[in-house]
Amino acid sequence: MAEPRPDLAAGAPRKRNRLRWFKWLAGLALVCLLVGEGIYLWPRLHESWQALTEIHWGWLAACIATQAISLSAFGRVQKQLLEAGGVRIRQSKSLSVIYGSTAMALTLPAGQVFSTAFTYRETRRWGASPVVASWQLAISGVIAAAGLAAIGVGGALLVGGSVNTFTLILPIAGVVAIVLAVRYVSSRPQSIRNAARWVLHKVNDFRNQPADTGQERIDEIIEQVQSVQLGKRDGALTLSWSAVHRLADVSCLGFACLAVGADPRLSGLLFAFAAAKAVGSVPLAPGGLVVVDATLIALLTSAASISASQAVAAAFVYRGVSFILVAVVGWIVFLVLFRKHQHKDLEYDLEMEQRETKELHREATATNDLPQPKNDRSDPEPA
């Protein structure tokens, strides 16, 4: 066995020592930076604390009420979209799922994934088909993005700046495209079925499988899409509740500013809200922690024309209501109403796995039943 080289053996401790010194220096620099920022920001933080101790409780109550209205309106959006797909539920059920999913999205790493999966499971439990449940999630998300874009554009226009119309047109075009596609499939199911069969035959021919393999699944999906009937009334109510959802959330931020004695400009308030929500949608930290707060403080100070101490206090109040309070209530709702569903979710997963296994077995059986090509050449006899 070859002996270790002396130069390599001596180089390893030296490298570890350098890394250790680098960690110590980086930690010392971070401590110095935090101490310096604390000394520099102490007057502002002291003023922010004074603003919080002198908070106006009436505006704080209005802040909490408008946040509750915002979540209730989003529950109405979900309820209206599911009713368009033939699923009738009470507002209390829809709102409980909104609180539970929002708590997951705010507090868990990759919370949006858990939130979407939770909402999908609950809507399936209410009787929604896979297509209707997925359609509800997709169109509610696109409508929410369109409302946020509209608020951002409105704030930018009030400030007097120029805006990129593409940021507003894209979400609205997405909503229109989804609605038109669903209505087209619902009104012309046979033409869609014929086109899907033609494509399926080509795919099965390429895979050397029977021509009608998978046809039942396509027919099932088309029937599920046909069940979605988003009429003018449902569309108008959905857009109206979505507008209430966004405007109530903006009002919550405005009341948070008023609660600490600030008087923000409306244009800057809209712009700060849209920017904070856009930054929060990027999964950098649960609930956009630190990133959203920094965005709110910076834009409330620069665009809404309030002092830095008031911006810090207002951001603290708004995030305390829209983040901490909503997360606490949401987890309480989840533990009280949905914890018992975990065992059922396991049974549901097992059922879906068994169903998929049966489908794969059926396709494999159909493939094996095909006549196998014969080999015209006879096997050579052994010598």
Side-chain angles (χ1 to χ4, degrees):
M1 181 179 295
E3 296 182 358
R5 292 173 55 185
D7 55 345
L8 294 179
R14 188 180 301 116
K15 186 175 182 180
R16 285 196 296 268
N17 290 332
R18 289 179 181 176
L19 184 60
R20 186 181 305 166
W21 276 108
F22 177 77
K23 290 180 179 179
W24 277 103
L25 290 176
L28 182 62
L30 180 60
V31 170
C32 294
L33 178 63
L34 292 177
V35 171
E37 287 187 353
I39 295 173
Y40 175 74
L41 295 175
W42 172 250
R44 295 172 177 81
L45 294 176
H46 183 65
E47 293 174 2
S48 300
W49 176 252
Q50 285 184 338
L52 290 174
T53 55
E54 299 172 359
I55 193 169
H56 193 289
W57 296 104
W59 290 124
L60 178 61
C63 181
I64 297 174
T66 49
Q67 188 61 221
I69 292 173
S70 175
L71 292 173
S72 179
F74 197 63
R76 286 284 180 180
V77 172
Q78 178 177 257
K79 179 177 181 294
Q80 202 67 44
L81 292 174
L82 289 174
E83 286 184 355
V87 181
R88 303 287 177 178
I89 58 170
R90 298 192 305 271
Q91 168 65 7
S92 58
K93 278 190 173 183
S94 179
L95 186 58
S96 63
V97 169
I98 293 299
Y99 270 100
S101 62
T102 304
M104 293 180 183
L106 290 175
T107 57
L108 296 178
Q112 291 293 340
V113 177
F114 291 99
S115 172
T116 302
F118 169 72
T119 303
Y120 178 83
R121 285 180 181 276
E122 292 304 317
T123 51
R124 293 280 286 117
R125 186 174 283 111
W126 294 336
S129 64
V131 170
V132 172
S134 302
W135 172 81
Q136 184 274 136
L137 284 169
I139 197 168
S140 61
V142 175
I143 290 176
L148 183 61
I151 289 176
V153 169
L157 290 176
L158 289 175
V159 169
S162 59
V163 296
N164 185 4
T165 55
F166 182 75
T167 59
L168 181 61
I169 293 175
L170 183 61
I172 296 177
V175 175
V176 174
I178 294 175
V179 172
L180 291 180
V182 171
R183 298 190 69 174
Y184 182 84
V185 174
S186 301
S187 60
R188 297 173 178 83
Q190 191 57 42
S191 61
I192 300 298
R193 187 176 285 108
N194 292 336
R197 284 177 178 174
W198 182 84
V199 174
L200 183 64
H201 290 170
K202 295 295 183 182
V203 172
N204 288 333
D205 182 62
F206 177 77
R207 298 170 58 194
N208 295 324
Q209 291 191 0
D212 58 348
T213 302
Q215 184 61 49
E216 295 180 359
R217 180 59 179 165
I218 290 179
D219 293 339
E220 181 183 353
I221 292 175
I222 292 177
E223 289 177 2
Q224 292 175 11
V225 175
Q226 280 185 270
S227 64
V228 178
Q229 300 292 334
L230 186 63
K232 295 181 179 179
R233 178 179 177 275
D234 291 326
L237 288 175
T238 300
L239 293 177
S240 299
W241 285 118
S242 181
V244 172
H245 162 62
R246 283 303 187 191
L247 292 177
D249 203 359
V250 174
S251 300
C252 178
L253 178 59
F255 290 141
C257 294
L258 294 175
V260 297
D263 187 16
R265 292 169 50 187
L266 178 60
S267 57
L269 188 72
L270 296 177
F271 192 68
F273 173 84
K277 289 294 182 181
V279 170
S281 63
V282 181
L284 298 176
L289 197 63
V290 177
V291 182
V292 172
D293 305 295
T295 303
L296 276 176
I297 294 171
L299 292 180
L300 285 176
T301 305
S302 59
S305 299
I306 64 177
S307 65
S309 59
Q310 290 176 333
V312 172
F316 180 83
V317 173
Y318 174 71
R319 293 284 282 170
V321 173
S322 63
F323 181 15
I324 299 175
L325 182 60
V326 170
V328 170
V329 174
W331 280 117
I332 292 174
V333 169
F334 176 82
L335 293 175
V336 172
L337 299 179
F338 301 108
R339 187 180 180 184
K340 60 183 179 181
H341 289 173
Q342 300 304 309
H343 181 66
K344 295 181 180 179
D345 289 342
L346 179 59
E347 294 178 350
Y348 177 77
D349 291 338
L350 293 175
E351 180 183 351
M352 293 300 296
E353 184 177 354
Q354 292 175 358
R355 186 180 304 175
E356 292 176 358
T357 303
K358 290 180 180 179
E359 291 291 336
L360 292 175
H361 179 69
R362 185 187 307 169
E363 293 182 3
T365 304
T367 305
N368 293 332
D369 290 341
L370 290 176
Q372 301 296 329
K374 296 181 179 180
N375 190 358
D376 295 336
R377 296 181 303 172
S378 59
D379 295 335
E381 295 181 359

